Amino acid sequence: MSRTVPISKVRNIGIMAHIDAGKTTVSERILFYTGKTHKLGEVHDGAATMDFMVQERERGITITSAATSADWKGHQISLIDTPGHVDFTVEVERSLRVLDGAIALFCAVGGVQPQSEKVWHQSEKYNVPKIAFINKMDRIGADFFGVVEQIQDELGANAVPIMIPMGKEADFRGIIDLVTMKAIYYDEESQGRHFHEEDIPADKMEKAKKWRANLIEKCAEQDDGLLEKFLEGQDFTEKDIWAILRKATIARRVVPVYCGSAFKNKGIQRLLDGVINCLPAPNEIPPIICEKGGTGREPNEEEPFSALAFKIVADKHMGKLIYIRIYSGTLHAGTTVLNSTQEREQRVGRILRMHANRQENMEKAFAGDIVAIVGCAQTRTGDTLCDSQHPIHLEAIEFPAPVISISIAPDSREDNEKLGTALHRLAEEDPTFTVGFDQETSETIISGMGELHLEIIVDRLKREFGVSATSGRPEVAYRETATDDAEGSYKYAKQSGGRGQFGHVVMKIEPTPAGTGFEFVNAIKGGNIPAEYIPAVEKGVIQAMLAGSYAGYPVVDMCVTLLDGSYHEVDSSDLAFQIAGRTCFKELFRKAGPQLLEPVMSIEVTTPEEFMGPVTSSVCQRRGRIESMNDVRGVKIVSGYVPLSEMFGYSNALRTLTQGRANFSMHFERYEAVPFAITEQIIAKRREANKVQ
């Protein structure tokens, strides 16, 4: 079976945006107009094809990224619909890692919102070319040109409108194509499937000419040949425009801007044309970076096989589904591949083309394809799969650390047996979800990116795995650090007849700048401590840092220097120096001005003007710092920073204060010091909970 669609006609794209900008609605229209589905599924009806999880349909939000593929004008489009809620940012991160291009979706009313800004920067990190689609042109307050300006000013992008709207709000009738200079009207009876082109209305011609001139000028800036043509006063052909737009978009020098209303079925077909005309094929992007420097292989079938596992899904019928992006070569069902990350060979049982939660069997998959495989049970998110004769290690995916934790306990002995297995499978799916066990309280602790994230996890335990469990109050992931230097020694000597234990260390600890992590420096001279015992000292220090001696939380941002020490030829051992290193660090840390750190969230509240007073008060009452208050198209936006520990239950409080008319978004920003009075309260509560005197 040879490739049916040439690699030059493959597009791997994702849709990214702030929550409720209309990503899933756009995805549904794409599937409908490409003939992949024959009925429009609406998010508000709980019938969207791409939102297939029960939790997604109940809440009307996307929780997990869903993959599908469709055909448009001889091109194969692999599409990933990503979540917009900040708690599920991991889904955006891993999707952008494997995509060649993206549709950045913006609400015509909300414009550049906090999460749309965050996902934009995520895409920039992976050098993903983008086209923009300004959705909801039919909504009250829609402002196409205002959003274009925001994209330019706030995101620093060279946004170039390719289409402009005819009217707005209730008067939104269609779009004007600035390349063909035609007005496009959509047939409502066919749900937008049919449309026709007409001459631009006289009352819209002046604006169309103005923005056509802007398009021509932007194109001329990107090419010397076109610039010369522009300066001579010549017009550009459609071929000229699309050629330079494609080149400039792939180089990320231009962001073509489209518009429409997905819910009203307007503008999607032109957006699909934009995907084909502007976004790159897999063979038009640079080879992927390898883990240990250098570049990967060229994206074609002749190269040895290499792929990245970017998503794991626990399927109740199939078992473990592994989503992979193939970067080179060909993968056959039933073959054995090398997992170079784990250095073990694994067998690929089946290859599946995914359509949300439905599958289609494939015999082969080729370079540029995004597919799911069954088998390779040991594979984890971020692992590289490759030809065992030609190993390669692709750059892994970085994930943010969890910031919120809760305790979870099974409701019965039967549930207890199933809980561990279920949590393990969920942790395999989601790298930002972790499971731990608190030895002091004998509690199972689960950690995630936010309250909603953990709420969904507990709900999935019950529905998908049949495990009834009770969750405790959310706990914040506090950290400890030192504010001063400290130097000292500790001698561990234990003699009880026969061979004893002896380890003596002299150490210095110093705080390092926030975010730098842990550094261990060996400054031993003259062999006062043999080289084979140095790793044991470091291991002991790391153990001590896992639970700090100040409040019992992990210690961060420290430099530990081993200055001196001594050993006994008979009694010294790895264990003795490990204990000496651990105890010495704990004693020095208590002398070094220990300080408790807490996660601080960047928050943005959007509210009508009449509720500004209560909203600003609510932020300040939560130990928040207001950084700015802006007025954007009739609504007030309050931005600032608030400790995560103060944000539990804020969504309900905000609804009460503003009659349900305000909303907010937040994401983790950094760790900051906790005020001393509050630190004492936290330590007292922790000691009481752990029954520590």
Side-chain angles (χ1 to χ4, degrees), residues 380-619:
R380 301 186 300 258
T381 302
D383 284 0
T384 299
L385 303 178
C386 60
D387 184 340
S388 57
Q389 301 301 313
H390 302 87
I392 190 172
H393 197 176
L394 303 177
E395 192 175 41
I397 311 172
E398 293 181 10
F399 297 110
V403 296
I404 184 172
S405 303
I406 61 173
S407 62
I408 189 164
D411 289 345
S412 67
R413 182 177 296 176
E414 184 184 345
D415 289 321
N416 187 37
E417 295 172 359
K418 296 187 289 184
L419 180 64
T421 304
L423 289 175
H424 175 71
R425 290 178 68 181
L426 289 170
E428 274 191 331
E429 284 189 20
D430 186 350
T432 59
F433 170 66
T434 61
V435 183
F437 187 76
D438 191 321
Q439 297 286 352
E440 293 181 339
T441 61
S442 299
E443 288 181 321
T444 299
I445 305 296
I446 59 174
S447 305
M449 299 306 294
E451 284 183 277
L452 180 60
H453 187 195
L454 295 180
E455 181 187 318
I456 297 295
I457 291 288
V458 174
D459 193 45
R460 289 186 65 191
L461 281 173
K462 186 174 183 179
R463 299 199 192 203
E464 294 178 28
F465 299 95
V467 179
S468 293
T470 303
S471 56
R473 187 185 183 279
E475 293 293 332
V476 178
Y478 291 104
R479 297 287 184 266
E480 297 179 25
T481 193
T483 56
D484 299 316
D485 300 352
E487 186 176 325
S489 66
Y490 180 80
K491 183 182 291 184
Y492 176 67
K494 190 175 182 183
Q495 300 288 342
S496 56
R499 182 172 178 174
Q501 297 284 355
F502 183 89
H504 172 220
V505 295
V506 179
M507 295 195 310
K508 179 182 180 181
I509 68 172
E510 306 164 272
T512 59
T516 52
F518 167 64
E519 183 183 2
F520 183 82
V521 179
N522 175 17
I524 293 289
K525 294 178 182 176
N528 287 353
I529 298 178
E532 63 264 28
Y533 294 139
I534 304 298
V537 177
E538 183 178 1
K539 186 176 180 182
V541 170
I542 292 172
Q543 286 177 348
M545 290 178 68
L546 292 175
S549 54
Y550 183 47
Y553 294 102
V555 179
V556 295
D557 303 328
M558 296 295 299
C559 176
V560 177
T561 304
L562 181 58
L563 299 171
D564 201 357
S566 61
Y567 74 104
H568 189 282
E569 289 185 358
V570 176
D571 291 346
S572 287
S573 65
D574 274 3
L575 178 62
F577 275 100
Q578 194 173 310
I579 293 171
R582 183 172 67 234
T583 310
C584 187
F585 179 86
K586 286 185 175 181
E587 290 183 355
L588 292 179
F589 187 72
R590 282 193 282 264
K591 299 175 185 176
Q595 187 177 59
L596 198 62
L597 304 175
E598 63 183 345
V600 172
M601 313 301 282
S602 171
I603 181 175
E604 186 168 291
V605 185
T606 304
T607 177
E609 187 171 0
E610 60 262 39
F611 300 111
M612 272 291 286
V615 166
T616 53
S617 296
S618 71
V619 172

Side-chain angles (χ1 to χ4, degrees), residues 190-326:
S190 66
Q191 294 181 300
R193 183 177 289 171
H194 302 303
F195 58 90
H196 63 279
E197 297 182 0
E198 294 181 8
D199 291 335
I200 298 170
D203 62 328
K204 304 293 182 187
M205 183 58 79
E206 186 179 343
K207 181 169 275 190
K209 284 181 177 178
K210 173 192 169 184
W211 286 100
R212 161 81 178 192
N214 176 74
L215 171 61
I216 297 299
E217 186 178 336
K218 294 287 188 181
C219 288
E221 291 173 358
Q222 303 298 324
D223 184 88
D224 290 342
L226 288 182
L227 181 59
E228 190 175 328
K229 201 172 179 180
F230 174 73
L231 294 173
E232 290 173 358
Q234 299 180 47
D235 199 7
F236 295 175
T237 65
E238 288 182 35
K239 188 176 179 181
D240 289 337
I241 294 171
W242 287 122
I244 193 58
L245 278 177
R246 180 175 185 77
K247 183 179 176 183
T249 304
I250 293 173
R252 295 169 43 250
R253 297 196 305 266
V254 157
V255 177
V257 183
Y258 292 77
C259 66
S261 168
F263 185 61
K264 296 293 185 180
N265 309 311
K266 294 173 182 175
I268 302 301
Q269 290 93 330
R270 278 297 197 274
L271 178 63
L272 282 166
D273 291 341
V275 168
I276 290 169
N277 292 333
C278 299
L279 293 179
N283 61 349
E284 292 177 300
I285 59 171
I288 188 172
I289 303 298
C290 292
E291 185 74 43
K292 297 176 182 176
T295 55
R297 299 174 179 137
E298 294 297 324
N300 59 56
E301 289 87 67
E302 285 70 42
E303 291 276 322
F305 168 71
S306 64
L308 187 76
F310 69 94
K311 181 178 169 71
I312 309 292
V313 174
D315 186 279
K316 59 184 177 183
H317 302 298
M318 295 283 193
K320 191 172 177 179
L321 282 180
I322 301 162
Y323 285 74
I324 63 170
R325 160 67 194 266
I326 302 177

Side-chain angles (χ1 to χ4, degrees), residues 62 90 109 128-130 176 202 321 378-379 390 450 457 472 488 512 527 595 653:
T62 301
V90 62
V109 180
V128 178
K130 294 168 283 291
I176 294 172
L321 282 180
Q378 305 303 316
T379 298
H390 302 87
I457 291 288
T512 59
Q595 187 177 59

